[in-house]
Each structure stands twice: as structure tokens, then as C-alpha cells.
Amino acid sequence: MFQFTRLFIFFLHLSGPVLAQKQGRALIDSLTAELPKATNDTVKGRLYRVIAEEWFFTNIDQALHYSQLGLQHTTRMNWQRGIGVFNSYVGRAYSDKGNYDSSRYYLLKAVSIYKTLNDTWNLASTTNNLGVAEQNIRSNYPAATRYYFEGLKYAEATGDNYLIGLGLDNISEIYRIQKNFPKALQFGQRALALRQKQSNPDINARRELAGSLASMAALYTQMGNWDKARQYGLRALSEHKKVDNREGLAKTYGLLSTAMHRDYGQKITYALKAKQLWDSLNPRNLDAVTNLANLGVAYFDLVRYTPPNGSAIQPTDRATRLRLAGQYLNAAIRLSADKGELSDQAYFRSNLAEWQALTGDYKSAYENFRAYQAVQDSLYSQEAKNKIAGLEGQREIELRDKQLEINRLTIAGQKRQQLALLVGVGLLLVIGGLLYRQNRTRKKTNTTLLHLNHELDEANQVKARFFAILSHDLRSPIANLINFLHLQRENPDLLPADQVARHQQNITEAAEGLLDTMESMLLWSKGQMQQFKPDVKKVPVDTQFAYLQRFFAGTTNVRFSYDTPDGLQVATDEDYLRTILQNLTSNAIHALKNTPDAHIHWKARPENGNVVLTISDNGPGMSGNQLKSLYTNDAVISGKSGLGLHLIRDLTRAIGCRISVRSEPGEGTEFQLTFSQV
């Protein structure tokens, strides 16, 4: 006994007296009469929802019709939640009619909308309905189980006992199909306990309670406990009658028919009552088709297990009973085939094969038995999948049980805490205290924000002053240098030798100060490197070496050599690479200023899928302190030394290049850059 969920009642309540005093067809008629009078689009959408909801319990075609009208109406309004609800209703209706593809299409559309709205309640109900479609139309029990557990997860997040009970009920149904009766009882009894706790139950609560009772009846029937099956079935029947739930009555009559076991009179009576209701509601419903088959089996059993004319059950003659048995079994098989359902259809065919053998139609009996056997073979592998799904879900089930227990304890603790609070004035004082605290917190937050804004403003002012001073410090020495150069070019003999020497000394000092200022600015800009983003592309190595040749063409005291294979390329940022190569070359030139026969050699080679660039010189080598800034972030940087290696270190990190160095005193220095091409 599977159950659909009703969707979240996202509409405000309609007229109180109407809902309170009417139910079933009377409620539907009164609400339908209100439709032409509704001038407000929102009110009209609410009416469509309640009408469709009520039709689900009496006539599935009418439920589909009003669900489609509601979908058209809310789509025109662009009311997303309403569109989601009516998509779910249409999907549920198609599932009841056995149209799997249409059902899944509309239900998945609803899920997409609910995820966008973060609507956990309706996500729980719609994923549950997806599970129902997988279970009843496709007999895809692993997929159904996955949807049921997903729905239970959403239900637990809402804390809604209706949704939790529904998820537990449907999971119990899966375990019943797998014949894992202890687990089925565990989940079924938890669902029933949740629904029995409701005080002053409304119509929907009674329907839910009746659904749980019917599920327990189906479970005890399959376990062969006929007394308990009848007990729960009769209780479910009583609850369905209280709310005039015709669909629930039809399902319960069918369950009671099966629970009668060998009491063929009662079995046929209940099955005929169920058939009468299903014919007016939805003859293609899975339970309706199963009831037809069970009715055929009941008439067939009268022939097989009772003596000729030994029973007063009508009809009494053997030929008529056989004809009715074949008629109902064939009808059930035809409807199952139309719906694309396999599992029950195979069972129906096995009974029909026995019926055909008894009537002498051995060829048809053989064909139906072969069809039954083929489906059984395919279901064997499906059964293995079900067991795997059960094992995979075992840990998740235990975790959910634990979470439910924690939720129960949390709720109990909250209730005890609420009892300790004072009513009335005490509650107002608590609210007042909370408001006062919130106000204090907001003031503190505003004060902190003002302080941070003030610090940011001061930082901006300091930065502006820094650039102003920096521009002044750059302008003065450059202007002095230009003036002296003009004077020296245009009037070289204007100043005496001692003044010329003094001016040159001043200009030298100004130029050195300019260098310090520029390096200070470089130090500051280096601190902003985290803002840079390398642009990686294929860069030919020979073009970079050609650039170095041009750039250092004026350096005459050093001999340069370059070695690279034709067409070798490296994947990196071209500007970063050029800066690194230029700095390494400049450092080498500086190290070779006192070295006779100075030589710098650049070499490129592929190695193990990487590209390696090497620069070596024959200078005096570098000390450990000099190399420290290449490997550590906290090395001291002076204005005139160490900055180049810091820049090289940070730039190589930015482009993912590995740098290593080998230096021996008196033997020169070699830097190696490794670029990964993977």
C-alpha cells in the first residue's frame, strides 16, 4: 500500500464554514460554484488547488482536469510556487493513470522549481511521488527507494510529522515487497505511531491514519497473519468511511478481499465492492488492476478447491465460475500490459496459464507460463539489486533513526524549558530583553564599522601623501640632473673646476637618492603582486633570448651565449618570464663587474615533459645570506640589495615555475628554471 503526498497548502484558508462543514463531493460542488465568482487571481488559484485535491479521492480524470486548469492559471500569473504545486498534481494524476513518462516529466519540473525556491516541504512530497511512480509503474524498486529516502531527508528537515510518516510508510512498503518483514514492521509501526498521536484530527489526518492502517493490513496479509490483516483492514475501512474517501475505500476493500484467505464468499464480496468503486474512480489504477486479478483467482479457486455445486456462492455452476475467472484474469493482464507494468502482470499470467491448462488450452497455457518464467528470470536480477540497495541504505537508515531520536529529545527538552518560563509578563520581559540586546549589538556593530571606515580613510590619505612625496622626490633629482647636463653641454667652461666637481658630487648623490626612491616605490608595488593574474600561453624560447640580446647589447664587458633547440616553447606568461630572465641576467652582470673574461651562458632544453631554462656565469659565486631571499619570505630587504631575488621568487611562484640555484665560491653561479608543460 503506497501513498501519494498532498502538496504544501501554500494558499491561505478558504471560507472557514465551507471547509469545516462539508467534505467530499459536497465540498467540491460548493467550491466549483465559487470559481466563476472569483475576481482575484490568487483566490481562484486556491480554489483550483482544493478542488483538484478533493477530486484525487473520488475521480482521477477530474483531478487531472482541474490540475491542468490550475497550472494554466498560475502560469499566466507567473506564480512560481503555484506552478510547482500544479506540476506536482498533474504528475501525480498521470502516475495514478499509469502514464510513467508524463508523470516523471511534470514531477521533475516541480522539483526544479522547489529547489529554486528552497521549498523543503514540497521537495519532500514531490520526491516521494517520484518514488511512487518508479515503484508502481516501472517496478524499479532501487530507484523508488532512493526517492523515498531523499523525501524522508527533506521531511526530517521540516520536522513535519505528516511527511515523516508518509516517508516511513512508503519505505515499509519497499521492505514488504522485498519480504524483509522485520524492517517493514519497524517502519510501518513508526509511521502508524506518528499518526495516532494527532489530537483532534482533521480530514487529511484521518486519511493519513487510514492509509497507515491499510499498509499494516497489506503487510500482515503477506506475512500470512490473516487475523491481524483483517483487524487492521477493518479499522482502515472505518476511518475511510468517516471522511468519505472513496479511493481509500476501494483500496481497503481490495485488501480485505485478500485478507479473507479461504473464505471465498467474503473474498468475492469485498473484491466486487472494490471493483464497483474502482470502475467509477480509475479502473487503470494499479490496485484496481490487482483487484480484478484477485477476483479472477477467487472464482478460479472456487473451481479448484471446492466440490462441484458444494458451495452456495453465486454463480454456483462450474462453467460460469471458470468463465468469470478467465474474464477477470485476461482483463487484468491487458490493463497491466497497457501500463507497462511487469511484476504483477507475470503473476496474473501464471494464474491464467493454470486456468488455460484446466480448460484444455495447453498451447496458450504453455505460452503464458513461458512469459511468466521470462519475467521471473529478469526479476531475479532486479531482486539482487534491491538487496544491494537495502545494504547500501542500512547505514543511512540507522543515521536517520538516530537523528529522529535526537529530534525527539530536543523537542522534549524544549517543552520542559517552555514550562519553566513565566507566562504573560515574563514572556514580554524576555522579548524586551532580546530587543534591547539586539539594539546594543547593532550599535556596537555600527561603531565598529565607523572605526573601520575611519581607518580606511586614513589609509587612503596616507597613500595619497606617499605618492605626492614620492613624485616630489623623483622630480627634484631628475630636474637637477637635466639642468646640469644642459649646462655641461651648452657652457662647459662657465664654472671653475672646483664648482664642477662639487656639482657632479651633488648630482651623483641626487641620482643615488633617486635610485633609492625608485627602489622604495618598487618595494611598495611588489606588495601588490597578489592582484596580478598571469596570462598563460605558448611562448617561443628563442624570442626571449633574442630580447635579452637586444636589451643587453650595450654591455661590452661581458660575453653572452645562448643555446636553445629550434621551435622549443614554454607555456607561461610572457611578461612574467621576460622580467625573470632580465632580472637574472642583470644580477649576473652585476656579479661579474670585477671578473676578467666575464661570460654568461643561457641554455634551454626539454626534460621529462618539462622545459628547463638555465643561466650560468663564471663569477665569484653567491653566499648563503645572499640566496636566503630566494627561498624565504621573511628575509630582510635593503634598498640596494636583495630586491631582485625577491621579485624573481614571487614571480616564479605566480606562474608555477620551480627555481633552483647552485653556487660555489670562485666557480660561478647557475640558476635553473623548470616549467611544467602538463
Side-chain angles (χ1 to χ4, degrees), residues 69-99:
L69 290 178
L71 180 58
Q72 294 169 8
H73 180 73
T74 50
T75 301
R76 285 194 299 269
M77 294 173 63
N78 196 27
W79 187 2
Q80 290 303 306
R81 194 179 301 278
I83 294 170
V85 167
F86 284 112
N87 267 299
S88 296
Y89 275 26
V90 173
R92 172 182 167 184
Y94 276 123
S95 181
D96 264 355
K97 292 172 71 67
N99 190 331

Side-chain angles (χ1 to χ4, degrees), residues 258-358:
T258 307
M260 289 299 114
H261 193 39
R262 296 294 185 185
D263 186 348
Y264 297 116
Q266 287 281 62
K267 182 186 287 285
I268 291 174
T269 298
Y270 279 124
L272 288 173
K273 286 183 177 181
K275 180 180 181 302
Q276 183 180 4
L277 284 171
W278 281 125
D279 286 346
S280 64
L281 292 170
N282 180 16
R284 290 175 56 84
N285 186 283
L286 178 68
D287 290 311
V289 176
T290 302
N291 182 69
L292 274 180
N294 288 337
L295 188 56
V297 172
Y299 281 118
F300 189 32
D301 287 345
L302 278 176
V303 174
R304 289 187 292 185
Y305 304 129
T306 61
N309 300 320
S311 170
I313 301 170
Q314 295 296 326
T316 57
D317 63 289
R318 183 176 185 277
T320 305
R321 289 175 177 177
L322 275 176
R323 179 179 58 78
L324 288 173
Q327 174 185 325
Y328 287 128
L329 283 171
N330 277 300
I333 291 170
R334 184 180 66 255
L335 288 171
S336 290
D338 289 345
K339 289 162 65 69
E341 193 277 334
L342 296 177
S343 178
D344 287 345
Q345 183 188 159
Y347 171 73
F348 304 156
R349 286 187 180 277
S350 69
N351 283 280
L352 183 62
E354 292 185 46
W355 179 88
Q356 289 167 333
L358 187 64

